Amino acid sequence: MVPDLSRRQLLGAGAAMGSAVVLGACGDDEKPAAGGGGDSAQDLGVDAITIANWGGTTADGMMRAWAEPFTKQTGVKVNQVSPVDYGKVRSQVESDKVTWDWIDAEGWFPFGNPDLVEKLDMDFIGVTEADILDDIPSSVRPDGIASYVTAYVIAYSSERDGGHPKNWQEFFDPKAIPGKRSIYNWPYGMVDIVLLGDGVPYEDLYPLDLDRAFNKLDSMRDDLMFFNTGAESQQQLVSGSADFLSPWNNRVGYLAQGGLPVAIEWTDAMLIGAYHVVIKGSKAKRATEQFIKTALEPQNQADMALYSGYAPTRKDAIDLVDEKVRPWLPTQEDNLGKSAGFLNDEWWGANLSDVSAKWTEWASS
């Protein structure tokens, strides 16, 4: 079920991984390549579709990499709203007043809310599991297709003396490497890395041992800080107010490409997937499936990586990504090989509401 208030909803459009900063820049005349084929607006029966995303530069990237090629192919306009609000999605579906067609769905969402999303015509979209990176679990569901990948990583100043944590166990052990640790103030992904930090192997993580995780957090409260947005994680990293952080990889990659002395430790990176979904009851289902089809075309995925730092999900898109961006992507071969694995979104889909309530209670105590 949808939590009463998702963390990203609470923080607004620039609050979470969806508000990634741009890793690359293109001039106005450098438009992403339009995909081939596709139905016209007349064929699709609509003049426009509405997509909901998290706002910020990621929204701009989606419009450039996905929406512009889609409109060029079909003549169908793309309207966007932000931020994603899962409560509004449920309200629209239950009242049969659906005005959103597509949302930038966090990985847990379709697992926990199959009643809110449409079954997709996979033959029309034309993407199968064979096209998607082998490491992405449940990459093609009846009601969703993996859209991009990001990761929680260990970030640090490359100019800092005294070394940095090489894994989550060292990150959550301030006695081994002294310094302030800053984590995202939300349980999705954070509980997972805390348990890795307490010595639980990735293959034994799920179901998550919540008591063990919160006991570990309690043991190091004096050394913990929190960030509530991607921008705040960048500020803490650059200012040095936190020595080590657990932000999204694209936030750090942007700073590094801008010449700032920051770095990523890729060992134990916790991978995060997102999904293309169509809202149940959409009046533009076929057009939205065409939007998804266009967004999944390799060049358009590669362009999205350039604009956002989110990694493509298609195997044949990786080599199309700008070379300066590739080292900062979690699915780059060397980085992927060091990762812990993907968040278990099936578990999170069933448990996010309960865990978020427990996290909020703990964080405010």
Side-chain angles (χ1 to χ4, degrees):
M1 292 292 292
V2 176
D4 291 338
L5 188 65
S6 78
R7 184 65 187 168
R8 290 172 70 176
Q9 174 188 335
L10 177 66
L11 296 172
M17 68 180 178
S19 59
V21 287
V22 180
L23 289 183
C26 291
D28 290 340
D29 59 340
E30 295 183 69
K31 300 298 184 185
D39 295 326
S40 68
Q42 183 176 0
D43 295 330
L44 295 169
V46 295
D47 296 324
I49 65 171
T50 298
I51 66 173
N53 53 41
W54 301 101
T57 53
T58 295
D60 296 337
M62 284 181 180
M63 293 300 288
R64 296 180 70 183
W66 296 350
E68 288 182 13
F70 166 75
T71 300
K72 185 174 181 179
Q73 285 176 256
T74 65
V76 177
K77 297 179 180 179
V78 178
N79 302 317
Q80 64 173 334
V81 296
S82 62
V84 174
D85 184 327
Y86 297 116
K88 286 185 178 179
V89 172
R90 178 165 291 282
S91 177
Q92 288 181 26
V93 173
E94 292 181 347
S95 65
D96 195 26
K97 296 180 180 178
V98 177
T99 58
W100 296 355
D101 300 299
W102 176 96
I103 65 169
D104 183 7
E106 293 171 283
W108 58 268
F109 179 75
F111 288 90
N113 302 276
D115 58 322
L116 300 183
V117 290
E118 291 276 3
K119 296 292 191 294
L120 300 178
D121 185 341
M122 297 302 180
D123 290 336
F124 174 77
I125 293 172
V127 174
T128 69
E129 287 187 352
D131 300 310
I132 305 295
L133 293 169
D134 296 333
D135 300 87
I136 303 176
S138 302
S139 59
V140 179
R141 295 169 43 87
D143 51 16
I145 301 179
S147 54
Y148 58 78
V149 176
T150 185
Y152 291 120
V153 295
I154 297 170
Y156 60 97
S157 168
S158 56
E159 294 182 335
R160 184 182 186 277
D161 295 328
H164 70 274
K166 304 298 194 301
N167 50 50
W168 293 120
Q169 287 184 269
E170 291 184 357
F171 183 92
F172 288 103
D173 184 4
K175 293 181 180 179
I177 303 178
K180 282 286 186 180
R181 275 74 169 156
S182 186
I183 63 175
Y184 185 33
N185 190 16
W186 190 238
Y188 179 63
M190 293 300 99
V191 174
D192 314 59
I193 66 172
V194 169
L195 289 171
L196 290 175
D198 202 37
V200 179
Y202 173 80
E203 56 269 22
D204 296 331
L205 271 182
Y206 304 96
L208 297 177
D209 186 336
L210 299 180
D211 289 337
R212 180 169 178 172
F214 284 101
N215 285 339
K216 179 65 175 179
L217 288 169
D218 280 334
S219 73
M220 54 178 300
R221 270 188 182 270
D222 291 343
D223 297 287
L224 273 181
M225 299 173 57
F226 299 95
F227 58 87
N228 290 296
T229 69
E232 188 176 6
S233 71
Q234 292 174 308
Q235 293 163 0
Q236 291 179 356
L237 181 59
V238 171
S239 69
S241 59
D243 296 287
F244 314 115
L245 299 92
S246 62
W248 302 275
N249 62 283
N250 50 354
R251 286 291 182 172
V252 188
Y254 172 76
L255 296 174
Q257 287 192 294
L260 293 172
V262 298
I264 288 175
E265 173 58 61
W266 288 101
T267 301
D268 280 355
M270 183 56 76
L271 302 170
I272 311 161
Y275 281 91
H276 292 289
V277 299
V278 178
I279 301 304
K280 189 78 170 179
S282 164
K283 306 304 188 294
K285 181 174 184 288
R286 176 58 84 190
T288 308
E289 288 174 330
Q290 178 64 52
F291 172 78
I292 294 172
K293 182 177 182 177
T294 301
L296 285 168
E297 289 170 2
Q299 186 60 59
N300 296 336
Q301 279 211 327
D303 288 330
M304 183 61 181
L306 175 66
Y307 302 146
S308 70
Y310 290 150
T313 57
R314 289 192 60 155
K315 297 173 183 176
D316 49 3
I318 298 296
D319 289 341
L320 300 177
V321 176
D322 191 289
E323 290 186 1
K324 66 177 175 289
V325 178
R326 292 183 202 171
W328 302 101
L329 299 180
T331 55
Q332 186 72 2
E333 185 175 359
D334 291 345
N335 299 338
L336 185 62
K338 297 176 182 178
S339 66
F342 276 83
L343 295 176
N344 186 325
D345 284 316
E346 184 174 3
W347 188 91
W348 275 109
N351 293 280
L352 181 59
S353 288
D354 291 340
V355 182
S356 61
K358 186 175 180 66
W359 178 277
T360 301
E361 180 182 1
W362 171 81
S364 60
S365 64

